[in-house]
Amino acid sequence: LVDHKGRFTNINVGWPGKVHDARVFKNSGLFRRLQEGVYFPDRKITVGDVEMPIVILGDPAYPLMPWLMKPYTGALDTEKELFNYRLSKCRMVVECAFGRLKGRWRSLLTRSDLSQRNIPIVIAACCVLHNLCESKGETFMAGWEVEANRLAADYAQPDTRAIRRSQRDALRIREALKASFQSERGNQ
């Protein structure tokens, strides 16, 4: 979880890199505390005539919850497009925080030879050091992020959207085969 100043306010480390962010989140202590209403206790705001808790922002993969806002999907009218645009602008703080974290600590981008027990400790330490740098106004060189992006491309995680598309295609193929097997032609 990243605050409006690009500092990490909650981290969850120790899951394998191929686990989707939304699954890690759903199994985290942060999710439980938000669900129970104890993470932002007694902090409500009113928008229009709706009283609401403080909300966090997520991408479309996350569940829509009273305390978690995500963009609209599907066919969008102009009001929904504007909402998505503004939500995206706010979420850019998170993207920038991760970019700066990886720019400062490029070792997070490459394969690590550390023991599995120590990797979460190193990641947590990098997040704490990032927060200190951000709080103290430490200089961040733009070239660091460029180099980090180049390294990230070399060690990219699998594209889960492509995997989901493949799964949808596989489901369609399986259904077509199933229907074919049930037809007269399939019985021959």
Side-chain angles (χ1 to χ4, degrees):
L1 186 63
V2 174
D3 70 9
H4 64 287
K5 294 183 177 180
R7 296 176 302 201
F8 293 91
T9 60
N10 189 286
I11 59 171
N12 187 321
V13 294
W15 284 71
K18 292 183 180 179
V19 175
H20 193 279
D21 296 347
R23 181 170 178 219
V24 173
F25 176 60
K26 184 112 176 163
N27 289 286
S28 71
L30 173 62
F31 184 90
R32 284 187 296 280
R33 289 191 303 272
L34 287 163
Q35 188 76 337
E36 294 165 0
V38 297
Y39 194 78
F40 298 116
D42 304 322
R43 307 252 333 250
K44 303 256 188 225
I45 59 172
T46 302
V47 176
D49 60 351
V50 177
E51 184 179 89
M52 63 184 71
I54 291 179
V55 298
I56 63 174
L57 311 178
D59 66 27
Y62 288 83
L64 180 64
M65 307 293 282
W67 42 264
L68 194 158
M69 290 295 107
K70 69 182 217 169
Y72 288 99
T73 58
L76 305 177
D77 59 26
T78 54
E79 290 176 349
K80 290 178 181 176
E81 285 179 357
L82 179 61
F83 174 87
N84 284 359
Y85 172 74
R86 293 203 171 142
L87 191 74
S88 175
K89 277 183 70 172
C90 293
R91 285 186 47 239
M92 286 306 297
V93 173
V94 177
E95 299 301 324
C96 289
F98 275 99
R100 292 167 72 90
L101 173 75
K102 293 184 288 186
R104 281 190 175 105
W105 318 110
R106 289 180 287 285
S107 63
L108 296 175
L109 297 169
T110 61
R111 183 181 168 280
S112 177
D113 291 328
L114 296 172
S115 72
Q116 282 187 334
R117 193 181 92 237
N118 288 333
I119 290 174
I121 296 166
V122 170
I123 293 169
C126 289
C127 290
V128 169
L129 291 170
H130 164 86
N131 285 354
L132 286 170
C133 291
E134 291 293 307
S135 295
K136 300 292 182 188
E138 186 71 29
T139 302
F140 182 83
M141 307 294 273
W144 295 350
E145 195 164 2
V146 171
E147 183 182 345
N149 289 337
R150 185 187 56 73
L151 280 171
D154 293 342
Y155 294 95
Q157 292 289 323
D159 182 358
T160 56
R161 289 173 299 197
I163 292 168
R164 284 193 301 267
R165 275 193 303 274
S166 294
Q167 289 170 341
R168 279 195 308 267
D169 291 346
L171 289 171
R172 286 180 43 238
I173 291 167
R174 183 174 63 186
E175 290 299 311
L177 287 170
K178 180 181 80 174
S180 172
F181 293 165
Q182 298 300 315
S183 72
E184 284 184 37
R185 277 181 101 181
N187 288 331
Q188 296 176 0

